[in-house]
Amino acid sequence: MIELSTNVLILGAGTAGLNARRAAERAGAEAILVDPGPWGTTCARVGCMPSKLLIAAAEAAWHARHADVFGVHCEVRVDGPAVLARVRRERDRFTGFVLDDCARLEAEGKLIRGRGEVVARGEVLVRDEAGRPTHRVRHDRGLVVATGSRTFTPPPYRELPSERVLTNETIFEQPDLPDSVLVVGTGVIALELGQALHRLGSRVTLVGLDGLMGPLRDPRVREVARAVFAEELDLHDDHRLERVEAREDGVFLRFADPDGTVHEGTWSRVLLAAGRRPHLAGLGLERLGVALDDPSRLGPGGVPVHDPDTMQVGDLPVFLAGDVTGQRPLLHEAADEGRIAGTHAARWPEAHRGRRRTPLGIVFSDPQIATLGVPHDALPDGAWAAGEVDYRRQGRSRVMNQNRGIVRIYGHRRDGRLLGAEMLGPRVEHTAHLLAWAVQQGLTVDEALAMPFYHPVVEEGIRTALRDLRKAIGRG
């Protein structure tokens, strides 16, 4: 067994872990990564990039089929194997850059392939795939936990045969598009992949709980989103499951809607998209005093309570980063958290508080969804107002035949300062950035309205919502 020593030890070599290593070295510390593989970040390998490639193909097919509104008529044929071949080809290109970095780090002795387990304070044992110990690594400063998350399988679906079950980690490896798919979930992954598969020709049904629609929390925006997506998709966002079983021809499901209407059918594949869970089991963190069995010391998802400005768990030399936090499972947030955690782990026990960026999340459905700033359910009681725009009447959106959705922007009644927004509409991946920048800069509604707006553009919809907000807070 190889004995090693370093300053900072990082469990996980994804986006958060790789950024933690760089930050630790910039802070003057030595750092070693431990990861069992497969290498390549979640975003590049099974997340952001392959899903957007599939969505791009779906959008091309959808717009071609619906071009008759412009007087353009097309015959569309979807070649499923070719679609997935391009997804994998481009995915592998993106992943290749990360793999090259990992190979270099491994050659330099800065990345160990294996599963790390804390055996004592400042000591981690690394085992190979067979469970044999290969390395003992001692570190004299902080431990960064960036082990990511795993797909959650709801109990009723755990007995299904593996060949009938897909996840975002396996769907892109299929030789062809499935002829029918039951999507379990109505969150971000479910909406993106479910709609894409539907537009590429699969028969798709989505089943969710409690009216969940992606990341939306504003009841008004969620209501509009439900209606918009239900126009296209077989959507049941608050179903009651009655029966699920594997059959020779697929997976049979019987469920009921809130009004008592019963539905049943058989689908060739089930796509599990009911969320992901932080990967903390088997790391031995309890040996450092990290309470994993005390609900009073755990946050959402069973993750130890930690300071979001330092990523530190209590006063321990343990720092969380990335999807394992269960808070903001997004690449740019993982990169920021890795940087913060790596810096503080290198400087431990010294600490300083930094400023997090304004939260920003985007769902690449059609219409797109975006959330930014203070979440709707965290707005200050009685101190906020909202302005909105209905995209059915927005000029540029009608020109493009993409006039579906609603945007609600929140502002403080006292000083007009922008707080956040929930957005459903065309190209909100771009307009959400403008609002997120405005929120982070502390702009008021008047200052935002003083910015230039061209005509005709979808950004004019944001101006309409801002004007409505100014009236709502009594500044019009």
Side-chain angles (χ1 to χ4, degrees):
M1 185 164 57
I2 300 174
E3 304 277 345
L4 297 172
S5 296
T6 190
N7 300 131
V8 174
L9 186 62
I10 303 163
L11 300 180
T15 297
L18 292 169
N19 277 275
R21 185 201 66 81
R22 284 190 285 267
E25 290 190 349
R26 282 196 298 268
E30 294 181 351
I32 288 179
L33 292 150
V34 176
D35 191 294
W39 292 343
T41 64
T42 295
C43 174
R45 189 169 52 83
V46 297
C48 320
M49 303 315 293
S51 66
K52 303 312 169 286
L53 286 161
L54 190 71
I55 290 168
E59 288 180 342
W62 179 263
H63 290 306
R65 286 196 188 100
H66 293 80
D68 57 327
V69 70
F70 303 106
V72 178
H73 304 280
C74 305
E75 293 294 329
V76 178
R77 181 181 66 86
V78 174
D79 182 342
V83 167
L84 289 167
R86 178 178 186 265
V87 169
R88 289 190 292 270
R89 184 170 62 250
E90 289 297 311
R91 182 271 317 270
D92 292 345
R93 175 179 176 274
F94 291 120
T95 307
F97 301 130
V98 183
L99 295 179
D100 289 345
D101 285 344
C102 288
R104 175 181 56 79
L105 291 171
E106 184 180 31
E108 295 173 355
K110 297 179 180 180
L111 172 56
I112 302 171
R113 187 185 298 271
R115 194 171 302 280
E117 178 187 355
V118 174
V119 293
R121 182 158 182 162
E123 186 175 329
V124 168
L125 193 65
V126 182
R127 302 179 187 274
D128 62 16
E129 290 183 357
R132 297 182 295 261
T134 60
H135 297 75
R136 186 185 306 275
V137 186
R138 294 181 173 86
H139 60 97
D140 56 14
R141 300 186 197 174
L143 174 73
V144 176
V145 179
T147 45
S149 61
R150 291 179 171 177
T151 298
F152 172 68
T153 303
Y157 300 92
R158 292 176 184 171
E159 301 304 318
L160 294 178
S162 60
E163 63 269 18
R164 293 293 182 187
V165 177
L166 298 172
T167 70
N168 69 293
E169 298 181 359
T170 62
I171 188 171
F172 308 114
E173 303 304 324
Q174 303 304 302
D176 197 355
L177 296 166
D179 63 330
S180 59
V181 185
L182 174 75
V183 181
V184 180
T186 50
V188 173
I189 295 174
L191 289 177
E192 287 190 345
L193 296 184
Q195 187 180 50
L197 290 169
H198 162 73
R199 292 183 166 190
L200 288 168
S202 300
R203 175 174 62 87
V204 175
T205 297
L206 291 88
V207 292
L209 296 173
D210 302 322
L212 177 71
M213 292 299 299
L216 297 172
R217 302 184 188 182
D218 187 319
R220 172 79 176 119
V221 184
R222 186 183 294 179
E223 175 189 10
V224 174
R226 181 182 300 112
V228 167
F229 287 116
E231 290 178 357
E232 176 184 348
L233 301 170
D234 183 18
L235 175 66
H236 306 268
D237 61 338
D238 193 14
H239 81 300
R240 184 182 74 252
L241 183 63
E242 296 185 352
R243 186 177 180 184
V244 57
E245 64 180 35
R247 295 183 174 178
E248 186 175 346
D249 58 344
V251 176
F252 172 82
L253 202 76
R254 179 185 295 124
F255 62 93
D257 290 332
D259 63 3
T261 303
V262 175
H263 306 267
E264 62 180 41
T266 302
W267 292 263
S268 63
R269 296 289 187 273
V270 170
L271 173 62
L272 295 178
R276 297 176 66 86
R277 298 294 184 269
H279 180 202
L280 288 166
L283 300 181
L285 296 178
E286 63 278 1
R287 298 187 179 103
L288 300 179
V290 178
L292 297 177
D293 57 356
D294 182 357
S296 67
R297 298 167 67 183
L298 299 177
V303 177
V305 174
H306 57 283
D307 185 337
D309 292 327
T310 64
M311 308 310 296
Q312 185 174 10
V313 178
D315 59 357
L316 299 171
V318 179
F319 303 83
L320 306 182
D323 290 2
V324 76
T325 67
Q327 301 298 308
R328 302 180 186 178
L330 303 165
L331 178 136
H332 67 278
E333 296 288 359
D336 283 354
E337 290 173 355
R339 173 180 51 79
I340 294 168
T343 300
H344 284 85
R347 295 175 177 172
W348 186 84
E350 298 178 8
H352 68 280
R353 303 183 69 83
R355 180 187 177 191
R356 296 294 297 269
R357 295 187 229 212
T358 294
L360 171 62
I362 296 170
V363 184
F364 291 84
S365 53
D366 179 21
Q368 294 180 337
I369 297 173
T371 59
L372 62 101
V374 180
H376 180 268
D377 53 6
L379 291 167
D381 289 344
W384 64 277
E388 68 179 55
V389 58
D390 183 338
Y391 276 103
R392 288 177 298 182
R393 296 185 294 273
Q394 205 276 322
R396 180 64 187 279
S397 301
R398 292 188 64 85
V399 167
M400 300 185 299
N401 194 39
Q402 297 176 25
N403 53 316
R404 301 181 299 163
I406 184 176
V407 165
R408 279 169 58 85
I409 304 175
Y410 315 121
H412 205 290
R413 288 187 178 276
R414 184 186 67 250
D415 56 13
R417 180 170 46 88
L418 299 180
L419 298 173
E422 289 202 3
M423 313 176 71
L424 171 76
R427 305 187 183 182
V428 297
E429 65 176 288
H430 305 300
T431 50
H433 279 82
L434 303 181
L435 286 175
W437 297 344
V439 169
Q440 182 155 314
Q441 290 297 317
L443 298 188
T444 66
V445 62
D446 291 325
E447 289 170 334
L449 281 168
M451 299 297 177
F453 288 87
Y454 197 77
H455 173 76
V457 293
V458 291
E459 283 77 7
E460 288 179 294
I462 302 305
R463 182 176 60 184
T464 299
L466 288 169
R467 286 172 171 171
D468 192 44
L469 173 62
R470 184 165 59 180
K471 292 178 182 177
I473 60 179
R475 301 172 70 87

